Amino acid sequence: MFRSVRPYVEQVGLRDPVICYQGAVVADPVTGAFLRHVPIPLEVALEAIDVVVAAGYHLNCYLDDKLYVAEVTPEARRYADFQHLEIHAVGSLRDWLRTDPTKLVAVGDPDALDELEAELKPRFAGRLFISKSLPHFLEFAHPDVSKGAGLQFVADRLGFDSAHTVACGDGENDRELLDWAGFAVAVANAHPDILARADLVIPSVHEQGVAVLLEAFVDSLG
């Protein structure tokens, strides 16, 4: 979510576009305006809500950069606390939702979500982008959405290309990002599929691997 990213962007003083929501949103960090927004069509979102809820999973719905849930569950609280977010409980998401949401996220046991992902990808092929972010979050977005697509939008806007881009990743939803970039980097604790895509593996997140990479790059310029 942009509201989750914004405090860090402001702390660092970044003024370039920020990719959020798996690439569904590219935001101007200064004004907060969405430069790109590719939400899920309402009809498809409602179908996904029905399937996920019927399977017994907690579901997050994102609209207007806010987090909506049917009710405040331990799963909702865990996600909201992790992201420092306010929760908006609205009752039945199907009955409440009236416009295209930016994203949906099912929250649950990692192994069970793997099974749900395998079941739903064929059903929603060409209609939804479905991918894990963290092991206990299964995310749903417009089929044209990915971090790679978001980065392509930023590249076109700022005037650079994939050959001159370094991308760092760790989760399953970073596949398209690393595939787009000319040089792919994975942290040591990344998902095996991300490690297999990497041109370089750096120390883990817990060892500040991305900071090590950036510092090495800056040092090389001097």
Side-chain angles (χ1 to χ4, degrees):
M1 299 177 71
F2 177 61
R3 69 174 57 248
S4 298
V5 174
R6 195 167 197 172
Y8 303 103
V9 170
E10 292 175 346
Q11 181 180 3
V12 177
L14 295 178
R15 302 180 66 85
D16 291 321
V18 178
I19 301 168
C20 309
Y21 291 102
Q22 304 273 31
V25 167
V26 176
D28 182 321
V30 178
T31 66
F34 285 5
L35 307 174
R36 165 185 162 95
H37 184 209
V38 187
I40 303 171
L42 178 59
E43 181 179 353
V44 180
L46 293 176
E47 183 182 348
I49 288 171
D50 288 343
V51 173
V52 173
V53 171
Y57 293 93
H58 169 83
L59 189 67
N60 291 342
C61 180
Y62 303 80
L63 187 67
D64 298 328
D65 207 32
K66 296 178 182 178
L67 170 61
Y68 294 94
V69 298
E71 59 181 335
V72 179
T73 64
E75 292 85 0
R77 178 55 59 195
R78 193 177 307 122
Y79 183 93
D81 290 348
F82 167 68
Q83 296 283 3
H84 309 292
L85 297 170
E86 181 181 0
I87 302 174
H88 301 272
V90 296
S92 167
L93 288 172
R94 162 171 263 287
D95 295 339
W96 169 81
L97 190 61
R98 290 290 181 269
T99 190
D100 301 351
T102 301
K103 187 176 74 169
L104 301 170
V105 176
V107 184
D109 173 76
D111 292 336
L113 286 179
D114 284 342
E115 295 179 6
L116 183 66
E117 180 180 11
E119 175 187 344
L120 296 189
K121 274 189 171 180
R123 173 170 178 166
F124 288 99
R127 298 190 295 148
L128 282 175
F129 172 81
I130 303 176
S131 180
K132 286 279 200 73
S133 51
L134 295 177
H136 41 283
F137 299 146
L138 181 63
E139 311 211 355
F140 303 82
H142 187 284
D144 293 338
V145 161
S146 71
K147 291 184 181 182
L151 184 53
Q152 178 71 69
F153 177 89
V154 172
D156 292 342
R157 187 178 180 89
L158 298 184
F160 63 90
D161 59 21
S162 62
H164 295 88
T165 304
V166 176
C168 304
D170 64 343
E172 297 173 58
N173 60 334
D174 291 322
R175 291 186 181 101
E176 293 80 7
L177 175 70
L178 267 60
D179 288 346
W180 187 89
F183 193 78
V185 179
V187 291
N189 61 314
H191 186 275
D193 196 27
I194 300 303
L195 290 170
R197 283 171 156 77
D199 299 302
L200 174 68
V201 176
I202 57 177
S204 73
V205 170
H206 307 294
E207 299 172 287
Q208 311 270 344
V210 177
V212 171
L213 174 69
L214 294 175
E215 288 171 355
F217 174 72
V218 171
D219 288 345
S220 72
L221 298 177

